[in-house]
Structure formats: structure tokens, C-alpha cells
Amino acid sequence: MDERPVGILGTGSYLPKDEVGNAEIAARVGVTPQWIEERTHITARRFAAPHEATSDLAVRAAERALEAAGVTASEIDYLIVSTSTPDSPQPPTAYHVQRGLDAHAAVCFDINVVCTGFVYALEVARRLLAGRPGGRALVVGADVYSRILDFTDRRTAVLMADGAGAAVVGEVGEARGFLGVELASRGDAHQLIRVEAGGSRLPASERTVREGSHFFRMEGRAVRDFVLENFPGLVETLCQRTGVPRDRIDHFVPHQPNGVMLSQIVQRSGLETATTHRTLHRYGNPGNAAVAVTLDAAVRQGHLNDGDIVLLAGFGGGMSMGAGLIRWGVTE
């Protein structure tokens, strides 16, 4: 069966109302606000309200994406939620989102590839829809990291945040949509980003709580080295496979790890001629939501023009990496 061109029909995002500045975080982790900004380029981030769970943020972002695409929830065939902070171990968070949207015709499931998850989910949606004429998928990246941060660990507490972003994916014109996606998984580096307890290997117990084993942990320098060593090759492979030279890429919409690292990634990957979109200064690193939130900001600010070549990219726990090239627009 011939694959039909699939692209993004509309985007949306939702950031919690509670803005947390560097002064508040600095006081909690024992550094200065200047220390945080110099090392991360982050000045603020959003934390979910006590009553908000991951699915609540996801529903709000999804509603905005559906509105932008001119699609109703009942027209969605697949609902994919990418998260590493689910509402609970069971049921999948996607089912809470389905209920919140009244999207009961959709097949729902979660994926967890940490900060690369939104790119993985887009590729899953693309593959599901390629042979389904008129099909539509709703892809949501959402996380509430504020619930699993150790505020004695300045390596993570100054970076991570909460948010959700979404995209409606469906059939587009022949000269638009995804040109190619490249994914990579490296389980040999799994220890670099982790939450140690709460699963079948180390179930929750009084001891795991006391020892802080449910907190998010990251080996920051090792993660940076891994990404800088491996991500440029992923981009090169994608460009060769699609026939798109790096200097023809108009927009780079990456995960938002921290500002210093992001600048290094742009240089190492040869993407200096593309416009790199950043939201981390306002929103920090909202995990699975980062790429989606940044894409939605670029769309709503009018930066993406019809026919532009857009590179979406994520990298995170696993370790995982993903990059996708899209010719922006819906019709020729």
C-alpha cells in the first residue's frame, strides 16, 4: 500500500499558571539566581498546582491543538500520550486524557521515552496513519516533574519543570509533511537518567521513600557528553537519507535541556544557519512536553511559513534520541 503524506495539522500547549523564578529555586537548592541563569539560561519555570496531574495539563494542550487543527475529539483515531510522570502506574494516562476530551473513538496508549518521547510518538502516529486514508492522531507530550524533584540536588532541581504540548497529525498535501524520522536507543547508557524506585525491580517501600529513591536523578555532564557525541551523527544520517542538506533546514525545534548545552548542540550538529527556537528561559525543561511546547510557540508566533523545512529533535533517558524533518504546511 502506498504511504500517504502525513504531517502536523495543528499544535497546542499548556503551561501551569504558577511561575517559579530563580530566586525561589536558588533559595531551596543553596545557590544564587545568577548561578542558575549563567549555567542554564533559565530564568523561570512553571509548576503544576496541587490539584493538577499530568493528564490535566495534557487535556488543556490537546484541546488547543484540536481547535488549531479544526478537528473535534470524536474525529481522532489514535491518542498517544508521551510521559515519564504518569498520573499513576495504571491505567495509562492516555485513558484519562481520552475521558477528559470525550475522544471515545480513539485507540489510546502511552509511551515512555523520557524527553525524546514526543518525537517517538510522532513517528508512531505517522506509521499508523500512513495507510489509513483520512485518519487522524492526537499526540501529546506532558510531564509534571515538580513532583519527583529532589530540591537538595541542584543538578536537576534548577532544570526541570511542568507542562504539556500537543499536535494533531493527519494527511497533508503531496509536497508537505514528514520527510523522514530517525530514532536511536542506547540501553547501555540507561543509568545516566533514572528514577530508581517504584517499579517491579524496586517496589515502593518505607525504605525507598526514606532513601529518596523515587526522585529524578541525572548525571548531567555525562548526559551532555553523550548527546554531543551521538546526536550530530543522527542528524547527519537523517539528512543523508532524506536528501536535505543541513544548510537547507530553516528551523530547529529541539528539546530544551539547558541553554549552554543547546548552543553546543547547534554548533556540533552544523545547524548554525537554521533558526533555533528556545523556550527554556521562560519554561525550563518540561520533559516530554519541551519539543511540543517549543513547536507550538513557534507556530503561534508566526515563525513557521508554508514550505519551510523544520527539524524536530529530542534526546533523553534510555538513553534515547530522535529527529524528524517536516516540510511545514498542510497543502501544496
Side-chain angles (χ1 to χ4, degrees):
M1 182 180 295
D2 292 336
E3 288 193 3
R4 296 171 179 271
V6 172
I8 292 176
L9 307 180
T11 64
S13 60
Y14 174 73
L15 285 306
K17 294 180 180 179
D18 292 339
E19 182 174 284
V20 181
N22 282 348
E24 181 177 339
I25 295 295
R28 298 181 72 173
V29 303
V31 297
T32 66
Q34 293 75 21
W35 186 94
I36 297 174
E37 185 171 358
E38 288 173 2
R39 286 162 175 77
T40 69
H41 297 178
I42 295 169
T43 60
R45 73 281 293 146
R46 303 292 180 89
F47 283 175
H51 68 276
E52 289 182 313
T54 295
S55 66
D56 297 312
L57 277 56
V59 167
R60 299 289 294 275
E63 289 173 338
R64 293 172 181 177
L66 289 167
E67 181 181 8
V71 173
T72 66
S74 62
E75 295 176 289
I76 295 298
D77 298 287
Y78 302 101
L79 170 55
I80 308 170
V81 173
S82 173
T83 185
S84 48
T85 59
D87 284 24
S88 60
Q90 295 184 39
T93 300
Y95 287 78
H96 293 299
V97 177
Q98 180 194 48
R99 178 172 55 86
L101 295 171
D102 196 22
H104 294 298
V107 174
C108 307
F109 56 94
D110 289 0
I111 67 170
N112 177 8
V113 202
V114 197
C115 298
T116 317
F118 185 72
V119 178
Y120 270 64
L122 287 174
E123 174 66 348
V124 172
R126 180 171 80 109
R127 294 295 183 178
L128 287 170
L129 295 175
R132 186 184 181 103
R136 297 183 181 91
L138 177 59
V139 176
V140 187
D143 268 319
V144 178
Y145 265 91
S146 61
R147 306 278 163 79
I148 58 171
L149 291 179
D150 177 359
F151 285 95
T152 68
D153 180 7
R154 66 186 186 185
R155 297 175 300 177
T156 57
V158 303
L159 296 172
M160 306 306 295
D162 305 341
V168 177
V169 180
E171 189 174 340
V172 294
E174 197 63 38
R176 297 294 182 267
F178 288 96
L179 304 174
V181 177
E182 196 73 25
L183 306 176
S185 303
R186 286 284 301 276
D188 56 316
H190 72 277
Q191 74 284 356
L192 299 183
I193 298 176
R194 63 198 185 278
V195 175
E196 296 168 345
S200 60
R201 186 171 298 280
L202 193 59
S205 67
E206 184 179 329
R207 180 177 64 84
T208 62
V209 172
R210 184 175 63 251
E211 294 177 352
S213 300
H214 297 268
F215 288 131
F216 172 75
R217 305 292 183 191
M218 179 172 64
E219 307 302 325
R221 291 184 180 179
V223 168
R224 178 200 61 195
D225 292 346
F226 177 92
V227 174
L228 291 177
E229 180 179 348
N230 293 282
F231 181 72
L234 188 82
V235 173
E236 178 63 22
T237 299
L238 177 62
C239 288
Q240 289 181 355
R241 188 161 62 81
T242 58
V244 177
R246 281 173 288 189
D247 61 5
R248 291 291 303 277
I249 296 171
D250 299 298
H251 301 275
F252 181 38
V253 182
H255 175 53
Q256 306 286 301
N258 74 62
V260 175
M261 180 177 168
L262 192 50
S263 296
Q264 294 171 333
I265 290 167
V266 169
Q267 184 178 17
R268 289 280 188 96
S269 302
L271 296 170
E272 294 94 339
T273 59
T275 298
T276 298
H277 296 270
R278 304 168 188 250
T279 55
L280 60 90
H281 58 291
R282 293 181 294 165
Y283 303 138
N285 176 356
N288 279 273
V291 176
V293 165
T294 306
L295 176 62
D296 185 52
V299 170
R300 291 178 185 270
Q301 291 165 14
H303 295 311
L304 305 189
N305 298 312
D306 185 65
D308 282 354
I309 302 296
V310 181
L311 174 64
L312 304 179
F315 25 85
M319 293 291 288
S320 61
M321 298 182 296
L325 280 171
I326 303 175
R327 180 172 283 112
W328 196 255
V330 176
T331 59
E332 265 185 87

